Every structure is written in C-alpha cells, then in structure tokens.
Amino acid sequence: MNDASYNRLKAKYVGLLGSKCKKCGAEFFPQARVCRKCGSFELQDIPMPPTGKVTSYTILNVPALEFKDDAPLVIGYIELSNGVRLIAQLADISPSEVREGMPVRMEVRPLSQKSGAGDPMVGYKFVKSEK
Amino acid sequence: MRSVAVVGAGQSKFGRRNDARLDELAWESVKQAMDDAGIVQNDIDSFVVSTVGGWSAELLPAVFVGEYCGLEPKPTMRVEAACASGSAAIYQAYSSIASGLADVVAVVGVEKMTESPTSVAVELIGRAGNYFWEFENFGMTFPGYYALYATAYLSKYGATEKDLAEIAIKNHYYGSMNPKAQFQKKVNLDEVMSSKYVAWPLKLLDCSPITDGSAAVILASEKMARKLTKDPIWIRGIGAASGTANMSLREDFVGLKAARLAAKSAYQRAGFDGDPKKLDLAEVHDCFTIAELLAYEDLGFSRKGGGFKMAREGQTYKGGVLPVNLSGGLKAKGHPIGATGVSMVGEVTRQLKSQIKGDRQADIRNGWGLVHNIGGTGHYAYVTLLSQDKGGQ
Ligand SMILES: [Zn+2]
C-alpha cells in the first residue's frame, strides 16, 4: 500500500471511523455516503465500538502474497456491539481456539510484518476479550 | 422484446493450454460455434468478448481476439463481471438482439490464467471484492471469502465437510466423462477429505482450478434462428443482480442475495415457477463446493438449509430430483473465468439438443435447462433459463 492510500485510510484503520445516518440512526463501516437503510445522504462520521463477537471465521493457510510469512492467518467475520459487521484478522488467537460467538475487542497492530519498515502502517485487528 | 435463440456453441479443451495464445484459444471456440450455426463471419452483426484479464498482457482483448478470428470491423466490446463475465456478455448480446439492434451476435469468452504463477493468480482473484477494506491489509483470498460462508453454513444447518466433499465427488464423476474437462478423473471421499486445507473448512479439492480455455455461442433473432436451424434453443429469461463490494455488508453468510434476485427475475421473465422437476438439468457456479450448496437454495431447488441434504442423498445426480453440473462443473471441467458463463450456456444448449456423447447426457423430458453464474462472492449474479420451446404467441 502506498503512503497516500494509507494516509487516506489511517483514521478508519486506527479509529474504526464509520458513519451514522442522521435521519434513521443506522451505522455503517466502512464509511458510507448514502444510508443503506433509509436512503438519506445525511451521514456523520462516528467511531465504531471496539468490541464485538466472531460470527464466522476461516483459517487461511494460503493467505495473500504479502502475508505469506504470517500464515496461517485467522480471519474473523466480526459483529461489533452496535450490530455493524466487518472482516478482520484475529491476533493472538490460535486456529484451534477460534469459535463462533467468541467475544473480541479491537487493538491497533502493525497491518503485516512487512509494514514495520519506515512509517509503520498500523490498523485494526481483534483479540480475545473477557466479555 | 424480440425472442432470442442460441444457434451455435463451441468450446476449447479446458486445462493448462501452453500450446495456445489468448486469440488462438478464442478461435478454437469461435470456429466451432460458427460451424455449428452454419454461418461465417460476415453473417455476424457484432461480437462481445468476455475476459477478466489482469494476468493477460492484452489490455484490449476484444480487438485482439476480433482481428485473429476475422471479426473486425464488427462492433465489439470487452465485458467484465468477474467470474460471471461470460453471462454478462450473453446478457449484452441478448439485449442487442431483443432490442432489434442486431440479428446475429457472437459471444466469445476466453481466459488464459495458468501462465501466471499460481500465487499471482490467487492474488489477483483475491482482489475480487473491496480491495482496500477486505484485501490489501487483511491477507484475504478468494477461497477465504467462500470459507466464511462455509463456516457459517455448516454451523447453522449442521452440514459437514463430507457433504461438501459429495459435491466434488459428483462433479469429478461427470467431469471424468467430459473430453473437454480439465480433470477427466474421478475422486473418492478419502482423497477429498485428506486434501490440504486452503482456507478452513475448504480443502484443495473443494476448490475449482486455475484454467485456460474459451467458449463461444452464437445468438440469433427468431427470424435468423428459423433460417439457420431446425432446433434453436431459446433464451426464455435472463435475470441479473449485483451484491455489495464489501462482504461485511451482506445480510448473512448462508446464501447469496444477488443469486436469489437474479433467479426471481429470470423465473418471472420465463414464467417458470422454480420447480426443479420441471428442469432437465442445471449448470451452477461451483467455484467452491459450498457455492453449489448455496446455489441449490438460492435457486429454490431446496428449502433454506436443505441444500446439503440434496448432496448427501445424491439428488443432483442423473436420476435424482435434478442433475446438476453434468459437465463436471467449474470443479472438474475447469474455470477459465471469462469463458465459464459462455461454456455453461453452450453446455445446456447441447444437452437440450441431446448432443452429448455418453452417460453424462441428461434425459431430456421437459426441454428446459438452467444456468447459474456468479461473479466474485455474490458480487454479480446471472441466471439464465433455456428451453426448446419458444413460448408466447
Ligand atoms: Zn438512514
């Protein structure tokens, strides 16, 4: 990822910045300009809650090229506590312990091993949480 | 709208085709399809080329293929809808005939994938989604997306990895009889279950391969179809829909909404009630075994959560409720992504005309067949109903 792309995305990657519809209150991640629920164009930036649960998952033995040194990757389909869902890497969770329903919370981590050089590219990953 | 028929079909051998360039591959199918229709280039009003590219050096595949196949200066374009590009091209050709803009249109699907290193091909296919949000910094792959569906489906309905394996076994069984298939080889349960996990719970033998190949069909208006052939196969309905780029915005991971919408619209146009017993065969998009299960449900062949039982009971073999993927499917026939949808329509056309040699020919009783073609992970969906019967007036 080049610096310009990263700089555009950083606030969303680090702060889970999404959108909330001013009319109907529906929340979205990533940011939206049109409300998928009521069609309104009136949306405001809002950070997503940092906790949620795993609703589906996979263990990638063959991840995308840039992540091959990180294999196997544990990928979760996460439902945040506000009902918004996203796909993210699960960190510090072994493939054998990941389960549907597992509570998780967001942590800011290096995005890949490669992103340690120069200005580090960091973003959201999810780790186990108590509740 | 005017009626539209398939009047010719051709397909190259699918597989690792180091012997042929993109344009040479395309010509194999175009030649067969023109011969089948009994026409030459001059009889064709326009042609649509479906290819996804990326791994191909050719940025303008439509004119590259057009020149080699002698189709220049006919109007053309390249059409892309990921793995549903072939159906998108047919949709385009169908529209131009139905509208009266053209009478005879060639649809050429072609893809050359195997000369890219596997890791590069996997990388490119992995971008089929929302690049920045679900690929670039997440390491996701295309099998990974479908694996999320598989995990959710198995867990919600109590299906097992063995049920998924049954799909692979069936499709390899039929592929073993298809001389144009990439894998003309049966597989057994042990082989599928012991193949390596790519993206748990999907194993290598749950995945369709990387393939070179081409397919072509000739579509014609009623007037031209009547002139060219005694047995045109009519396109009775095409339905199409799209899904969100971000997988995370999907309502659930146990079906593809775009496929359900595409089916609904195709069924409405064709006046088809969705009863699988009224079809003689279906070609569905089994890029992964889980995708075929989802297709059974999205197309209404079974109730929600019942698709895996059809697989478990062998209901989609010949002699069951509805034979599915008698070609071997993407799984065994191969999946040259731009060619797949075109190949599916060609297969159903030849099946409905009872032109298939050997045991994989369906018993044609009702004269109806269905094609279900998905791009990405339900990002694009096309459903096409074909019939021996023109219907209407
Ligand atoms: Zn709203």
Side-chain angles (χ1 to χ4, degrees), chain A residues 25-58:
Chain A
E27 295 184 17
F28 303 96
F29 186 86
Q31 282 174 320
R33 286 293 164 259
V34 182
C35 175
R36 291 176 57 77
K37 203 170 166 198
C38 77
S40 163
F41 297 174
E42 302 289 314
L43 292 103
Q44 64 188 91
D45 291 352
I46 181 177
M48 296 288 110
T51 58
K53 62 179 188 204
V54 174
T55 63
S56 186
Y57 62 94
T58 181

Side-chain angles (χ1 to χ4, degrees), chain B residues 127-169:
Chain B
R127 295 186 186 191
N130 191 306
Y131 179 74
F132 282 122
W133 289 109
E134 296 181 347
F135 176 79
E136 163 97 47
N137 285 311
F138 303 91
M140 269 303 255
T141 62
F142 195 50
Y145 298 132
Y146 267 103
L148 292 174
Y149 277 83
T151 304
Y153 184 94
L154 299 187
S155 143
K156 179 159 184 189
Y157 299 120
T160 65
E161 290 177 49
K162 277 188 183 171
D163 296 324
L164 297 177
E166 290 299 336
I167 301 282
I169 294 164

Side-chain angles (χ1 to χ4, degrees), chain B residues 161-162 165 188-195 197 203 205:
Chain B
E161 290 177 49
K162 277 188 183 171
N188 63 37
L189 186 63
D190 274 353
E191 289 169 297
V192 182
M193 293 302 285
S194 63
S195 65
Y197 282 106
K203 297 173 278 293
L205 285 177

Side-chain angles (χ1 to χ4, degrees), chain A residues 1 9 12-13 30 36 56-65 67 73 75 77 85-86 89 100 111 124, chain B residues 119 123 132-133 136-141 147-148 151-152 155 197-200 244 246-248 250-251 253:
Chain A
M1 170 173 276
L9 291 166
K12 295 101 184 183
Y13 275 161
R36 291 176 57 77
S56 186
Y57 62 94
T58 181
I59 294 134
L60 283 183
N61 289 320
V62 188
L65 274 185
F67 292 83
L73 287 186
I75 301 281
Y77 181 44
R85 287 171 288 188
L86 51 82
Q89 280 185 33
E100 285 166 283
L111 285 166
Y124 57 81
Chain B
S119 56
E123 178 94 1
F132 282 122
W133 289 109
E136 163 97 47
N137 285 311
F138 303 91
M140 269 303 255
T141 62
L148 292 174
T151 304
S155 143
Y197 282 106
V198 174
W200 187 92
T244 60
N246 272 293
M247 304 273 298
S248 57
R250 303 296 171 79
E251 284 161 25
F253 271 10

Side-chain angles (χ1 to χ4, degrees), chain A residues 6-120:
Chain A
Y6 180 69
N7 288 335
R8 279 196 300 271
L9 291 166
K10 192 173 174 187
K12 295 101 184 183
Y13 275 161
V14 172
L16 277 185
L17 197 61
S19 306
K20 180 175 184 159
C21 175
K22 287 182 182 171
K23 279 211 170 122
C24 77
E27 295 184 17
F28 303 96
F29 186 86
Q31 282 174 320
R33 286 293 164 259
V34 182
C35 175
R36 291 176 57 77
K37 203 170 166 198
C38 77
S40 163
F41 297 174
E42 302 289 314
L43 292 103
Q44 64 188 91
D45 291 352
I46 181 177
M48 296 288 110
T51 58
K53 62 179 188 204
V54 174
T55 63
S56 186
Y57 62 94
T58 181
I59 294 134
L60 283 183
N61 289 320
V62 188
L65 274 185
E66 205 169 302
F67 292 83
K68 70 179 195 305
D69 297 337
D70 301 307
L73 287 186
V74 185
I75 301 281
Y77 181 44
I78 292 154
E79 185 173 315
L80 300 173
S81 58
N82 64 350
V84 169
R85 287 171 288 188
L86 51 82
I87 291 172
Q89 280 185 33
L90 301 179
D92 305 339
I93 295 177
S94 78
S96 60
E97 64 179 332
V98 57
R99 294 282 178 274
E100 285 166 283
M102 173 183 265
V104 288
R105 66 184 156 74
M106 192 267 252
E107 277 196 2
V108 175
R109 298 280 182 103
L111 285 166
S112 78
Q113 292 188 352
K114 239 179 129 180
S115 66
D119 211 11

Side-chain angles (χ1 to χ4, degrees), chain B residues 182-228:
Chain B
Q182 182 161 7
F183 300 127
Q184 291 160 47
K185 162 174 153 307
K186 295 178 201 170
V187 295
N188 63 37
L189 186 63
D190 274 353
E191 289 169 297
V192 182
M193 293 302 285
S194 63
S195 65
K196 248 178 50 188
Y197 282 106
V198 174
W200 187 92
L202 299 179
K203 297 173 278 293
L204 187 63
L205 285 177
D206 286 301
C207 307
S208 59
I210 287 167
T211 309
D212 304 328
S214 73
V217 295
I218 310 289
L219 303 190
S221 62
E222 182 176 2
K223 198 178 109 198
M224 284 306 293
R226 300 283 186 210
K227 251 190 231 172
L228 293 169

